[in-house]
Amino acid sequence: MERRCTSSLRHDPRPISLTRVKAHATAAVSIDPAILPPGPRIPAVSPHGRVYLAPLHADADDLGTARPSGPLAERIEHAFQKGQGHGVLHLGAAEVSADLPPDFAYFRDLGRRFVTALRSIPDAEEERDALHVLPPDDLAMMAVSAPPLLGAEYLNEEALVSLWADMEQALHAELQETRESVGAYLKRQDPLWNLVGRVGFHLVENKGNQDAPFAFMATYSTRLSQARVKHLPLGKALKEYAGSQNRNALLSLLLPVQRAAEHSPLLKDLLDSREVFEAQEWTPKEAYRFLKDVQVFEEAGVIVRVPDFWRARRSSRPQVSITVGKKDLPSLGMQALLDFSVAVTLDGETLSEAEVRHILEGADGLVLLKGRWVEVDRDRLKEALSSWKAAHKAAAREGISFVDAMRLLAGAQGAMSGGGSGSAIDQAAGRADPEWSQVVAGPFLKEVLDKLRGPEGLSGADPGPGLLATLRPYQKVGVRWLAFLTQLGLGACLADDMGLGKTLQVLALLLLIQKEQGDRLPSLLVAPTSLLSNWQGEIERFTPGLSTLIAHPSVLPSAEVARLTPADLARVDLVLTSYGSVHRFPIFAQAGFRLVILDEAQAIKNPAARQTRAVKAILGRARIALTGTPVENRLSDLWSIFDFLCPGLLGSTQVFGRFAKRLSQGDRPNYGPLRELIRPYILRRLKSDRRIIADLPDKTELYAYCSLGKKQAALYRQAVDDLTRQIQAVDGIQRRGLILSFLLRFKQLCNHPSQWLGDGGYDPEESGKFIRLRELCEAIASRQEKALVFTQFREMTGPLCDYLTQVFGRPGLVLHGATQVKQRHKLVESFQSESGPPFFVLSLKAGGTGLNLTAASHVIHFDRWWNPAVEGQASDRAYRIGQKRNVLVHKFVCRGTVEEKIDALIVAKQGMAKDLVDADGGDGGALLTEMNDEDLLRLVSLDIKSAVGESGSGEA
C-alpha cells in the first residue's frame, strides 16, 4: 500500500479557506473520489487549464448559494469523473432545467452552446462518426465573463477551445458507446433536446424589390435514395410524408417548429395560415419581427440563416455614445475629475443632429441608413439619449470622478450607485439600456488605460546601478507598470506567480522613488512577521543603498517602537513592520507615506478584522498590494483588497454584494463588468505562460527565512550554554563527537522543539519553520501545484506529512529508508498522476536520487544538508527531463542561528562546500569540528533579535 498520511497533529485553529485547498487537476481520465474529502463540489480550473470538481470548504465565500446535492450532484460528479469534456457536455445536454449556482451555470452555458451548435449542423446524422462542431468566435469574451472560480487565472480562450474540443471527443465516445443517432442521444439527455428533424429558416435580402426588400423560406433536409442530404422547401414535406402511415414522421419533423411557435407569435401566425410552407416576400417590419425571434428558433432546434448585418447588429445600430476623458489632466487619482460628452454614433461615426432627428421621427425596426440596414428602437434610443444628456448636465456642473468613469467603462456604474454628487450619472447609468448606449474612453483616458492594460509599451523607469541584480524583461515591465500607477496616484495589485520576483520589482521601484523624490517621505512595507527577515535579506542583497527601519518588536523593543515619531521615519527610505504591529502602534496611522505596500495582501481579506481596519487607515500617496494568491477566487477577498487599493471603486460591501448578485443572474451569468473594472489595477504573470517561461532559468532557488518560536529560542540558548560548559572539558575525538552531537541538536531545535524533546507534540505554533511552511504551501495549494518536501530526518517525515494534510486539505505521500523498494514505483506513479496527491515528503537519503518526480514544480528543503551537491541532487528529482514548468527550490533557514551562519559560509566559499561536511554526508563537518572554541561558539550562538519573530514577540 502507498503511504498516505493521516493527521495526528493538533489541528490548525484557523479554518481551511478556499485558497488553502489543493484541488487536483484532472485530464481526460477517471478520478478516484477517495482522494477528495467529502462534501459539496465546485467547478475549478487546473494550472493546465482543465476543468474539474474541487471540494468546497465550509468557510468559502459562496454568497449563500445552494450547491448541487443528492442525485443532481451524483450525476454531475459521475460525468466529470470521465473527464472535463464529458462533465461540461453533461451539464449542457442533461441538466438544462436544473437550478445551478453561477459557477456550474457558466460551464452549463458553454455545454448548451455546444449542443446548440451541434443541432445546427444540417448533416449531423450522416456525419455522425466524423462530426466537427465549430467553436464560436467569442470564447475569449466568454473567458473574461467567467464568475469567480478556483483557478480562474488559468481560464482563457485557449483553455475554452481545448474544452470545446474535449466535448467533441466526449460526444464521439458516447455516440460510439451507445450506437445511437444524434437525435436519440440528445433526446435521452433531456426531452428539450428532442432533435427530430432538420428544419431551416432562411432570411435574405431581396434587393430587387423596394416594397418587400426581404425574402423568407423554410426548408427541411432529407435523404434522397443513396445520395447526399439535400435541402428542400418545407412545403414538399407535406407531399413526402403524405398518408396516414407517415403522419408521425411529419409531426416529428415539425415538432421543433411547433415548439418555437409557442414562444413566437409570428411563427404561430405562419403555421396557422400555412404560409410557413411557401416562400414569402417581406417588408422590413415583417423581417424585423422574424429577426427578433432568431434565438427562440435556434433554441428549439431550427437552423436559422440570416443576413450578416443582424449577427453584427450590436455594433451596427445607432447608439448613444458617452465619451469620458478626452482632455489631458496634469495628474490622475481616484477622485480626479474628467470631461464627459454625449453623442449618437453609428459604427463609431458621429451622426448629425438632422440624422438623429430623422431616426427618432421615423419608424421602428429595420431602417435603411447610410446605405445599409440597421435596427432602430426609437423609444429605447430616445430614453438613453435623454438620460445621458441629463447626466451630462450634472457632469458639467460637478464633474465625473475617475472612479465613476471606470465604473461607466466597465458597465458597472448603475449597479454600484452610491448616491451623492454623482447621483445623476448613477441614475442615467441605471436607466441606460446597454443595447442602445455605450461608454468609451476619450484619447487621454484611453492612452492611460492602454498603458495600464498593456504595460509592455511603457518606457523609462531605470532603477540605476543601485540595483545589484539584472531585471528580466517581464520584471522591467512590472517596474514600469508600478511606477506609472504610483505616479498617477492609483492602487496597484502585483499578482505575479510565486518565484517571478515580486520583491525585486518593488525594490527596484523604491530605488526609482529614492532617485526622483523631492520631499523626504518614507514608504511603508507591511508583511507577515515571518517574512520580515526575507525582506531584510533581499534588501541587503539587492538594494543595500536603501535605508530601512524595521519597526517591529523582533528588532526594536516595543517601547522604542511606541516612541517613534514621523520625523524618525522620515530619515529612512523604507519602514518595515508586520500586520500585527500596525494596530498595536499608533505611529503608522499618524505618519504619512509615499507608498504603502502590503506583502501577502490576502492578510486583509477579512474586512472586519482589526488589522485590516488599521492597514486601511494608513495614509499614503499610492498603495500597492502584493499577492501570488489569485484575487479571482473569492469575492470577499477581492472586495477587501480593492477597498485598500482603490477605495470606493467597488462601493460598500452591501453595494458590491448587490452588484455581484446582479452579475450572477440570468441564463448566462456575466462577470465581465467586474473583471473589466479591476483589470487596469492588476498585473498577473503566470509561470505557465510560455513568454515568461522562455525567459526564466529552469530552476530558481529561493531562501525561506524563518524565525524561532519562544520555546525554540529558549531551548536553543540552553543548548548553547550546555555546549559552552561541556566543550571546555573534552578534546580530541570526544570533542569532535560532542560538536557533531550539538550540531544535530541545533538542527532539530530549528525544525521543531518536539524533535529534540521527543514528546511527539509537534504543535505547529511552536516552530517558525512550520509556520513558514504553512504560508508557503497555502500559496502552492491555491495555485493547484505540487511540492516535494525534503528532510534529512526520518522522524520528521510523519509530522510534516500530517501537518501538510491539514494545509492542503488532502493527504500526501511519504518515502523514507524503511519504504520497501517495490512500493517506491507505486508512490512515484501515484504522485505523477495529474489527479494524484499534492505533496510528497521524502527523507533526503532515501528520496534524494533515482526518482523522477516532474509533477512537482516546488522543492522545499525543510532542513539543510549543508552540502550543495546533495541538495542539488534532491532538487533535480523535479528538475529533470520531462519537466515542463519552472521549478522553484525553497531553502528554509532560521535567522540568527547556526543554519544561517553555515549557509553564509557555503555561499561565501563554494570551493570549500564539499569539505564543510564529512565525506559520508554526515551532520557535522571536518572544518567545523576543527574550529577553536571561540569561533565555534560564535558560529552556533543565537542572534536573538534576528531569530525571534512573531512567536517571540507575542503578536497575534
Side-chain angles (χ1 to χ4, degrees):
M1 294 292 291
E2 66 184 43
R3 168 70 163 97
R4 290 189 186 275
C5 55
T6 56
S7 178
S8 61
L9 291 175
R10 298 183 205 175
H11 285 285
D12 184 341
R14 303 178 311 153
I16 299 177
S17 67
L18 184 59
T19 57
R20 297 175 62 201
V21 175
K22 169 57 178 82
H24 58 89
T26 172
V29 296
S30 62
I31 301 171
D32 179 6
I35 65 178
L36 287 174
R41 303 280 186 256
I42 57 172
V45 185
S46 80
H48 300 285
R50 304 192 69 82
V51 181
Y52 67 103
L53 298 185
L56 174 71
H57 283 266
D59 70 326
D61 171 35
D62 211 27
L63 293 180
T65 303
R67 308 308 307 182
S69 60
L72 173 62
E74 292 175 4
R75 293 195 303 270
I76 295 173
E77 289 179 28
H78 177 72
F80 271 96
Q81 286 173 18
K82 300 178 184 179
Q84 64 166 2
H86 289 271
V88 178
L89 178 61
H90 172 82
L91 288 174
E95 307 299 349
V96 177
S97 304
D99 185 14
L100 296 176
D103 44 9
F104 277 102
Y106 171 78
F107 289 108
R108 175 175 62 185
D109 180 45
L110 182 67
R112 191 159 52 190
R113 295 180 69 179
F114 177 88
V115 177
T116 299
L118 168 66
R119 298 178 63 188
S120 299
I121 300 175
D123 307 324
E125 299 296 348
E126 289 67 33
E127 302 294 332
R128 180 181 175 283
D129 295 328
L131 275 172
H132 178 48
V133 186
L134 289 175
D137 295 331
D138 62 345
L139 288 182
M141 185 62 67
M142 190 169 184
V144 171
S145 67
L149 297 165
L150 179 63
E153 68 273 25
Y154 306 120
L155 187 67
N156 51 32
E157 181 180 14
E158 183 180 0
L160 291 183
V161 169
S162 175
L163 176 53
W164 189 277
D166 277 5
M167 283 193 285
E168 186 176 284
Q169 291 182 8
L171 173 68
H172 282 291
E174 296 189 17
L175 290 175
Q176 184 70 26
E177 179 182 353
T178 62
R179 302 308 303 171
E180 295 174 305
S181 67
V182 176
Y185 166 77
L186 290 175
K187 179 180 180 181
R188 180 167 54 83
Q189 300 303 311
D190 192 295
L192 292 176
W193 294 119
N194 185 17
L195 187 61
V196 293
R198 282 292 185 268
V199 175
F201 289 167
H202 307 263
L203 182 72
V204 297
E205 290 189 60
N206 186 20
K207 297 183 178 180
N209 190 332
Q210 292 183 352
D211 296 326
F214 293 95
F216 165 80
M217 175 176 284
T219 66
Y220 76 107
S221 58
T222 183
R223 179 183 295 276
L224 298 179
S225 186
Q226 298 300 316
R228 290 178 59 83
V229 172
K230 293 185 178 180
H231 300 274
L232 302 175
L234 188 59
K236 291 186 178 294
L238 299 178
K239 298 179 181 179
E240 180 179 348
Y241 295 111
S244 58
Q245 68 274 19
N246 289 323
R247 176 178 175 81
N248 289 337
L250 178 61
L251 293 177
S252 181
L253 174 69
L254 296 179
L255 187 59
V257 180
Q258 294 169 336
R259 184 184 298 119
E262 294 174 2
H263 304 280
S264 171
L266 169 66
L267 183 55
K268 185 178 186 304
D269 291 343
L270 291 174
L271 274 175
D272 291 344
S273 64
R274 301 178 66 84
E275 291 178 344
V276 72
F277 298 106
E278 304 292 338
Q280 304 289 320
E281 289 186 327
W282 279 352
T283 65
K285 184 176 181 179
E286 292 170 321
Y288 185 56
R289 286 184 67 196
F290 173 86
L291 289 170
K292 288 197 296 182
D293 287 344
V294 165
Q295 184 175 347
V296 171
F297 304 148
E298 290 181 333
E299 290 181 351
V302 178
I303 302 169
V304 182
R305 292 187 171 91
V306 296
D308 291 341
F309 76 80
W310 183 255
R311 297 294 185 186
R313 65 189 182 282
R314 179 68 175 81
S315 61
S316 62
R317 64 162 57 122
Q319 288 184 312
V320 179
S321 292
I322 302 91
T323 306
V324 291
K326 287 183 178 179
K327 302 175 182 176
D328 290 4
L329 291 178
S331 62
L332 187 62
M334 296 305 292
Q335 298 306 317
L337 298 180
L338 302 171
D339 61 285
F340 174 71
S341 61
V342 179
V344 178
T345 62
L346 178 64
D347 269 353
E349 179 183 350
T350 300
L351 300 179
S352 67
E353 290 187 8
E355 289 171 324
V356 173
R357 189 165 51 251
H358 171 71
I359 293 173
L360 295 179
E361 292 175 354
D364 285 339
L366 297 179
V367 175
L368 196 61
L369 184 64
K370 293 183 176 291
R372 56 194 171 125
W373 293 102
V374 298
E375 181 187 11
V376 171
D377 186 319
R378 291 178 302 161
D379 291 339
R380 294 168 72 183
L381 185 63
K382 188 180 297 183
E383 171 65 20
L385 185 58
S386 174
S387 296
W388 283 114
K389 283 188 173 180
H392 179 248
K393 290 181 180 178
R397 296 190 307 268
E398 306 156 357
I400 180 172
S401 71
F402 181 77
V403 167
D404 283 336
M406 295 304 294
R407 290 178 179 174
L408 287 173
L409 288 168
Q413 181 70 30
M416 301 184 69
S417 169
S421 62
S423 59
I425 296 172
D426 292 333
Q427 292 168 11
R431 291 195 304 266
D433 189 335
E435 293 290 319
W436 294 91
S437 62
Q438 62 176 347
V439 181
V440 297
F444 166 71
L445 186 56
K446 182 178 185 302
E447 182 181 1
V448 170
L449 294 179
D450 286 347
K451 290 177 179 178
L452 294 179
R453 294 165 177 160
E456 293 78 11
L458 293 171
S459 59
D462 180 10
L467 183 65
L468 305 184
T470 301
L471 293 173
R472 298 185 174 276
Y474 74 89
Q475 291 173 329
K476 293 179 180 178
V477 170
V479 174
R480 291 195 288 264
W481 182 78
L482 289 171
F484 183 62
L485 270 162
T486 54
Q487 288 168 3
L488 294 174
L490 302 176
C493 179
L494 184 60
D496 284 345
D497 241 347
M498 182 189 304
L500 295 185
K502 294 188 290 292
T503 300
L504 186 59
Q505 293 174 69
V506 169
L507 294 180
L509 173 67
L510 291 171
L511 283 179
L512 285 172
I513 292 174
Q514 184 191 57
K515 290 197 313 181
E516 300 169 359
Q517 185 168 295
D519 56 335
R520 189 69 177 179
L521 196 62
S523 293
L524 175 68
L525 172 78
V526 185
T529 302
S530 57
L531 295 184
L532 292 178
S533 294
N534 274 57
W535 277 94
Q536 184 182 6
E538 298 294 272
I539 291 169
E540 293 170 355
R541 180 181 177 188
F542 296 120
T543 55
L546 285 176
S547 57
T548 61
L549 170 65
I550 302 180
H552 188 268
S554 64
V555 176
L556 292 176
S558 295
E560 291 189 29
V561 177
R563 286 197 296 268
L564 289 172
T565 66
D568 295 327
L569 304 187
R571 298 190 184 101
V572 299
D573 297 306
L574 179 65
V575 179
L576 298 92
T577 194
S578 70
Y579 286 99
S581 294
V582 168
H583 69 77
R584 289 179 60 197
F585 301 105
I587 179 62
F588 301 111
Q590 296 168 355
F593 298 95
R594 175 66 178 84
L595 295 180
V596 180
I597 307 161
L598 303 187
D599 191 16
E600 300 296 340
Q602 63 271 19
I604 64 166
K605 64 184 180 182
N606 182 359
R610 186 179 177 189
Q611 71 179 23
T612 300
R613 298 197 306 270
V615 165
K616 293 180 180 180
I618 300 172
L619 299 177
R621 293 183 181 175
R623 294 176 167 185
I624 295 175
L626 307 178
T627 175
T629 302
V631 296
E632 297 96 334
N633 292 350
R634 296 182 58 176
L635 290 175
S636 60
D637 296 3
L638 174 68
W639 180 87
S640 191
I641 289 176
F642 268 83
D643 189 48
F644 164 78
L645 288 177
C646 307
L649 182 68
L650 299 185
S652 66
T653 52
Q654 294 80 12
V655 167
F656 182 67
R658 291 195 299 269
F659 174 55
K661 185 175 181 180
R662 192 197 74 171
L663 297 181
S664 67
Q665 292 174 340
D667 292 337
R668 294 184 178 180
N670 180 13
Y671 286 82
L674 175 57
R675 297 186 184 277
E676 186 67 17
L677 184 58
I678 64 176
R679 187 161 66 99
Y681 316 101
I682 299 179
L683 182 61
R684 178 159 179 78
R685 278 79 61 90
L686 303 174
K687 296 193 295 289
S688 56
D689 189 333
R690 293 186 180 90
R691 294 168 298 178
I692 301 299
I693 285 183
D695 181 60
L696 282 173
D698 293 317
K699 183 170 63 176
T700 303
E701 296 188 349
L702 306 168
Y703 281 99
Y705 291 109
C706 311
S707 58
L708 295 182
K710 286 182 178 181
K711 189 173 183 179
Q712 277 180 297
L715 290 172
Y716 192 103
R717 280 183 290 196
Q718 180 183 326
V720 173
D721 294 341
D722 290 347
L723 177 61
T724 303
R725 288 193 306 270
Q726 296 180 37
I727 201 169
Q728 298 173 359
V730 294
D731 57 17
I733 191 66
Q734 290 181 320
R735 183 180 186 276
R736 175 180 172 84
L738 180 69
I739 293 173
L740 292 178
S741 68
F742 268 91
L743 288 175
L744 178 63
R745 180 175 171 181
F746 289 129
K747 275 190 172 184
Q748 291 173 325
L749 288 172
C750 287
N751 280 353
H752 198 289
S754 291
Q755 188 183 0
W756 162 249
L757 296 173
D759 59 15
Y762 288 100
D763 182 350
E765 299 304 317
E766 291 183 350
S767 167
K769 281 191 178 180
F770 270 62
I771 293 172
R772 187 71 185 94
L773 182 66
R774 179 183 65 208
E775 294 168 344
L776 176 60
C777 287
E778 283 177 352
I780 293 172
S782 74
R783 293 168 182 75
Q784 308 170 71
E785 296 172 343
K786 296 191 179 189
L788 307 179
V789 182
F790 284 102
T791 174
Q792 73 177 91
F793 301 102
R794 174 181 166 180
E795 67 266 24
M796 282 301 300
T797 57
L800 284 173
C801 190
D802 290 341
Y803 183 54
L804 290 174
T805 297
Q806 297 178 25
V807 175
F808 281 87
R810 289 177 54 204
L813 302 175
V814 169
L815 185 149
H816 49 60
T819 305
Q820 295 181 9
V821 174
K822 63 182 180 181
Q823 292 297 324
R824 290 167 64 101
H825 174 72
K826 292 182 179 179
L827 292 173
V828 170
E829 188 177 55
S830 175
F831 184 76
Q832 288 292 93
S833 168
E834 190 179 9
S835 60
F839 66 90
F840 202 158
V841 180
L842 310 99
S843 67
L844 197 59
K845 275 192 174 181
T849 58
L851 300 179
N852 187 335
L853 299 170
T854 52
S857 54
H858 295 267
V859 177
I860 299 171
H861 292 287
F862 186 76
D863 44 55
R864 307 296 302 285
W865 194 255
W866 294 342
N867 185 329
V870 174
E871 288 187 345
Q873 284 182 332
S875 300
D876 288 349
R877 298 313 92 216
Y879 170 47
R880 56 196 299 109
I881 293 175
Q883 178 58 263
K884 303 190 186 311
R885 289 159 293 186
N886 191 50
V887 174
L888 300 182
V889 180
H890 309 269
K891 298 180 178 181
F892 277 36
V893 175
C894 283
R895 294 298 298 255
T897 71
V898 66
E899 286 193 334
E900 183 179 31
K901 296 168 186 176
I902 291 182
D903 182 77
L905 279 177
I906 294 174
V907 172
K909 303 179 180 180
Q910 283 288 346
M912 62 168 276
K914 294 182 180 179
D915 300 324
L916 185 64
V917 297
D918 289 334
D920 63 357
D923 297 317
L927 292 181
L928 299 183
T929 57
E930 297 305 318
M931 285 182 174
N932 61 43
D933 291 354
E934 183 180 352
D935 289 341
L936 178 64
L937 293 173
R938 185 182 301 112
L939 180 74
V940 301
S941 64
L942 181 65
D943 180 350
I944 191 64
K945 285 188 176 181
S946 297
V948 180
E950 184 170 359
S951 298
S953 68
E955 281 193 82

